[in-house]
Amino acid sequence: GAVVSQHPSWVICKSGTSVKIECRSLDFQATTMFWYRQFPKQSLMLMATSNEGSKATYEQGVEKDKFLINHASLTLSTLTVTSAHPEDSSFYICSARVKSGGYNEQFFGPGTRLTVL
Amino acid sequence: RKEVEQDPGPFNVPEGATVAFNCTYSNSASQSFFWYRQDCRKEPKLLMSVYSSGNEDGRFTAQLNRASQYISLLIRDSKLSDSATYLCVVPSPTEVSGGYNKLIFGAGTRLAVHP
């Protein structure tokens, strides 16, 4: 199947700093990538849809000025958590949809665990 | 009512047992369904897709009951390595994001298989 990578896999930062997370499609081109957030013992929640060459589409309740998304190429999308605070500590996962056997299968990156002190 | 609901568990079963999870969905127009497996602190990985009445892959069987709006996942002959959280995922038939139907995730059912 398609491979999606994320970097870094984990990060610890001080409150008020910004953190950039990269999501790459390694063996395919992804015009659309998705960013999810998962808090402990909760389900994945879609934060935004990242579109190559255009603005991201944010879900209701997600601050676009706080979670900056850039999809500069067909293989890279970045999520920057600006002025991070402890409540932003979470597991951030990106994904991409790939057509497989006539259906759109979703492949997830390995996730980035963010801890804000 | 949540769009996708699952029993959180945990289900604690011995090796070799048969275990079944249910998942209910609220939108009767939903057409496709997925079961993902998520290990602790890892990303979800696709286990099975369900587009018609059901699907079977080795020890895993997924069944769809459209009338009652639920999907089940049956695991036979449980192995220690089956221990994980199983996520029921339903593409929303009405909400689209980036040209794709938005995926709605259940909170997951935790399975612990013991020796």
Side-chain angles (χ1 to χ4, degrees), chain B residues 8-112:
Chain B
F11 284 64
N12 294 300
V13 303
E15 273 187 288
T18 295
V19 62
F21 311 135
N22 278 342
C23 166
T24 58
Y25 59 96
S26 61
N27 195 324
S28 60
S30 296
Q31 293 296 314
S32 56
F33 309 86
F34 304 92
W35 282 102
Y36 278 79
R37 170 198 169 121
Q38 185 175 27
D39 291 287
C40 189
R41 296 176 178 264
K42 300 281 188 181
E43 77 276 23
K45 293 189 177 176
L46 182 64
L47 182 64
M48 297 189 80
S49 306
V50 185
Y51 298 104
S52 56
S53 60
N55 193 4
E56 184 172 332
D57 183 5
R59 298 183 293 111
F60 300 85
T61 301
Q63 287 193 317
L64 169 63
N65 184 318
R66 289 191 187 275
S68 302
Q69 291 180 213
Y70 78 80
I71 319 109
S72 64
L73 176 67
L74 182 78
I75 304 176
R76 290 181 294 277
D77 189 23
S78 299
K79 311 288 184 192
L80 294 176
S81 57
D82 294 333
S83 298
T85 297
Y86 291 83
L87 305 175
C88 175
V89 183
V90 182
S92 170
T94 54
E95 295 180 81
V96 177
S97 187
Y100 295 99
N101 295 80
K102 183 177 158 182
L103 295 185
I104 308 299
F105 287 79
T109 298
R110 197 154 61 89
L111 171 66

Side-chain angles (χ1 to χ4, degrees), chain A residues 32 34 36 38 43-44 46 49 51 59 91 97 103-106 108-110 113, chain B residues 34 36 38 41-44 46 51 87 95 97-98 100-103 105-107:
Chain A
T32 303
F34 304 87
Y36 292 85
Q38 186 178 31
S43 62
L44 275 73
L46 181 64
T49 301
N51 304 297
E59 293 299 297
F91 191 44
R97 297 267 188 109
Y103 300 104
N104 290 313
E105 189 172 335
Q106 185 134 333
F108 290 88
R113 191 159 299 278
Chain B
F34 304 92
Y36 278 79
Q38 185 175 27
R41 296 176 178 264
K42 300 281 188 181
E43 77 276 23
L46 182 64
Y51 298 104
L87 305 175
E95 295 180 81
S97 187
Y100 295 99
N101 295 80
K102 183 177 158 182
L103 295 185
F105 287 79

Side-chain angles (χ1 to χ4, degrees), chain A residues 6 8-13 19 21 36-45 47 67 79 81 84-93 110-117, chain B residues 41:
Chain A
Q6 273 185 250
S9 54
W10 58 271
V11 58
I12 301 173
C13 69
V19 175
I21 303 170
Y36 292 85
R37 180 167 52 180
Q38 186 178 31
F39 291 107
K41 298 189 179 182
Q42 295 186 27
S43 62
L44 275 73
M45 295 298 294
M47 297 176 66
F67 298 98
L79 168 69
V81 183
H85 288 96
E87 58 265 29
D88 298 322
S89 298
S90 187
F91 191 44
Y92 291 86
I93 309 176
T112 297
R113 191 159 299 278
L114 170 64
T115 302
V116 185
L117 303 176
Chain B
R41 296 176 178 264

